[in-house]
Amino acid sequence: MADRDDKDLSGAAKMNRRGLLKCMAWTGTGVVWTLSGGVPRTLGLIGGAAAAEAPQGALTFVQISDSHIGFHLPPNPDPSATLTEAINKIKAMPTQPAFLVHTGDISHLSKEEQWDDADQIIKSANKQVFFLPGEHDVADADNGKAYLARYGKNTKGKGWYSFDHGGVHFIGLINVFEFQPGFKSAGLAKIGDEQLEWLEKDVKGLSASTPIVLMAHLPLWTIYEQWGWGTQDAGRALGYVKRFGSVTVLNGHIHQIIQKVEGNVTFHTADSTAFPQPAPGTAPAPGPMKEVPANELRKYLGIRTVNYVRGKGAPALIDSTLIA
Amino acid sequence: MLTTMNPASRRRRMTLLLGAVGVAALLAAALPELTAAGAAAVTAAASSATVDIDNFAFTPAALTVTAGTTVTWKNEDDSPHRIGDKNGTFKSAALDTDDSFSHTFAAPGEYPYICTIHPYMVGTIIVKPAGS
């Protein structure tokens, strides 16, 4: 890290394997990554001047996820404070995003006061926000009625939607209402037939060169079945978008960044703004990593900037942690 | 749907049940509650049982009780969980850490259930007829 200089950073696009390995040694210390077409590039330490050198695109937006307002246990007794830090980070971005997306688990327990707090904090970014529910947002007595009443205006079915911005087609999928129980097979979330039929029609008329962003709370590929980290019928959804030249899948739920490339489709889970969860299979169960010390917590929390450069196809993704 | 039973008939059934085969499991579940107070206390304790929720799992995963038993799920996990049975007979609110939920099982049968927030978490309550 000590031998890193600005020259290295400006030449990041030409990074060789040795350079890449050197960068990999920095993970967890606040390095900004970009991912373009599946090839990771480093842009420098968070807060460093280099981070501001991210390519200026035709469209920039920010993904936040899993704010879990109402959680009150170790390692983060105050997720409102860390969400505020995330929003402050967005407000300080030199290139302001066109809008924000929140990929679910806004609240911890589907309570109005928890959503009130989250909305109040997020509102200070002064941006349009596209929300998706996490399973924690549909845990009210009426199975998601409260979420849909609050966040579901102008959406289809049980909260799904699509919109276009800057030539990119965005799709918000809901995979927290239906599931396959884990009695005889894996217990996994489902998108469900009605929504899948809608999706098929939604993308039918689009040109294959339209960049697609597919968002959902739970991962749209099976990361770890034993912990329910997957979506049983995601394959069908992906089948409808595989003809497109650039598909970017953005998910939350697992409170850590895991990425995968499959043809033209890149999959990315996001950090939480509240607490980390263990890497798949490294603990007896998922759930908050309560052993993380207070002074390390922010290394595990973060936001993601997505930057489309017109005519370049796949976007550049920059994941940055909350560490100052 | 919460079901209740006439206390007198429950007492009668519990008395019968104490002499019956299969009571061992019930007694084992009640053991932590046992005191020198004796049989009366055992009778009372035997009509309830507990399932602990921790580390994203139900313990015991399969619990056998007799009809009339009140089962209490206690969430000792750092994450919220929510009980829902396969056939919609019983369903809890979302249980935060340290919250609990109880349901009285009047009718014999098998009741597979899940955490509706984490559907891979499964458990079963097996309800035997009282006095069987």
Side-chain angles (χ1 to χ4, degrees):
Chain A
M1 204 161 85
D3 62 350
R4 182 182 60 85
D5 61 32
D6 288 341
K7 198 175 156 209
D8 283 343
L9 292 166
S10 60
K14 289 175 282 186
M15 179 153 293
N16 57 21
R17 181 179 150 78
R18 188 167 158 263
L20 176 63
L21 288 172
K22 210 159 73 177
C23 292
M24 285 171 80
W26 303 341
T27 51
T29 56
V31 171
V32 180
W33 288 89
T34 71
L35 200 92
S36 188
V39 181
R41 295 187 288 135
T42 182
L43 283 173
L45 294 174
I46 305 297
E53 291 172 14
Q56 303 294 298
L59 172 64
T60 297
F61 68 94
V62 168
Q63 178 190 8
I64 55 174
S65 202
D66 295 87
S67 44
H68 281 266
I69 301 302
F71 181 74
H72 52 83
L73 297 168
N76 188 358
D78 190 5
S80 294
T82 45
L83 176 60
T84 303
E85 288 172 40
I87 295 297
N88 287 342
K89 207 171 166 61
I90 295 166
K91 283 153 78 174
M93 282 170 59
T95 304
Q96 279 294 291
F99 55 84
L100 313 181
V101 297
H102 191 308
T103 44
D105 286 353
I106 307 156
S107 70
H108 194 55
L109 277 168
S110 308
K111 297 200 161 126
E112 295 292 344
E113 65 267 25
Q114 297 173 351
W115 288 321
D116 285 345
D117 282 358
D119 285 352
Q120 196 63 35
I121 294 164
I122 294 168
K123 204 166 74 181
S124 77
N126 203 22
K127 295 280 182 294
Q128 187 175 11
V129 189
F130 294 93
F131 288 97
L132 288 170
E135 71 284 359
H136 289 249
D137 297 312
V138 297
D140 58 310
D142 293 316
N143 302 317
K145 200 172 161 191
Y147 171 86
L148 289 172
R150 187 171 181 133
Y151 295 100
K153 293 179 188 78
N154 305 317
T155 64
K156 307 272 193 323
K158 281 190 156 181
W160 52 84
Y161 56 81
S162 68
F163 63 93
D164 294 280
H165 204 298
V168 179
H169 189 67
F170 290 81
I171 301 160
L173 291 183
I174 311 289
N175 55 0
V176 295
F177 282 112
E178 294 192 32
F179 51 78
Q180 166 184 281
F183 292 114
K184 286 181 181 148
S185 43
L188 286 176
K190 286 176 78 173
I191 299 164
D193 289 343
E194 187 190 350
Q195 189 176 193
L196 284 163
E197 282 156 25
W198 167 82
L199 173 66
E200 184 179 19
K201 287 194 194 96
D202 182 73
V203 298
K204 208 163 201 167
L206 298 174
S207 141
S209 63
T210 310
I212 303 285
V213 174
L214 205 52
M215 308 178 289
H217 177 66
L218 281 113
L220 290 177
W221 82 107
T222 302
I223 293 176
Y224 196 61
E225 200 173 79
Q226 293 91 324
W227 288 357
W229 288 1
T231 302
Q232 193 261 340
D233 50 5
R236 206 174 130 194
L238 296 167
Y240 297 141
V241 296
K242 70 178 177 203
R243 70 184 176 89
F244 293 93
S246 159
V247 180
T248 304
V249 180
L250 302 178
N251 301 128
H253 187 65
I254 69 168
H255 298 214
Q256 63 195 289
I257 298 165
I258 294 184
Q259 299 170 322
K260 187 178 93 138
V261 182
E262 212 176 271
N264 293 334
V265 185
T266 61
F267 299 83
H268 313 267
T269 62
D271 275 337
S272 161
T273 66
F275 57 84
Q277 294 197 100
T282 61
M289 286 169 64
K290 52 190 169 195
E291 69 280 10
V292 171
N295 63 355
E296 304 238 322
L297 176 67
R298 283 156 182 79
K299 286 184 187 174
Y300 293 91
L301 311 178
I303 64 168
R304 164 177 292 149
T305 307
V306 183
N307 202 318
Y308 276 93
V309 180
R310 203 177 287 280
K312 288 272 179 74
L317 270 63
I318 305 167
D319 284 301
S320 49
T321 66
L322 290 192
I323 209 123
Chain B
M1 191 173 66
L2 273 174
T3 45
T4 53
M5 187 182 272
N6 170 324
S9 83
R10 181 190 291 178
R11 257 196 309 279
R12 265 198 312 278
R13 289 184 187 207
M14 293 314 297
T15 313
L16 279 170
L17 187 145
L18 278 172
V21 184
V23 166
L26 258 183
L27 285 178
L31 272 179
E33 312 288 331
L34 270 179
T35 63
V42 177
T43 310
S47 62
S48 65
T50 304
V51 177
D52 287 326
I53 312 171
D54 203 3
N55 275 332
F56 288 70
F58 299 111
T59 308
L63 174 70
T64 302
V65 299
T66 48
T69 301
T70 298
V71 175
T72 299
W73 284 264
K74 185 158 195 289
N75 185 13
E76 291 171 348
D77 213 344
D78 298 326
S79 294
H81 298 291
R82 189 178 189 190
I83 313 302
D85 94 310
K86 204 176 178 178
N87 306 314
T89 316
F90 56 96
K91 187 172 184 182
S92 78
L95 306 176
D96 202 356
T97 305
D98 294 332
D99 285 353
S100 54
F101 165 72
S102 296
H103 177 74
T104 301
F105 289 86
E110 285 206 12
Y111 298 85
Y113 65 91
I114 57 169
C115 165
T116 61
I117 302 176
H118 310 101
Y120 68 96
M121 292 171 59
V122 299
T124 310
I125 306 294
I126 300 148
V127 182
K128 302 280 186 201
S132 65

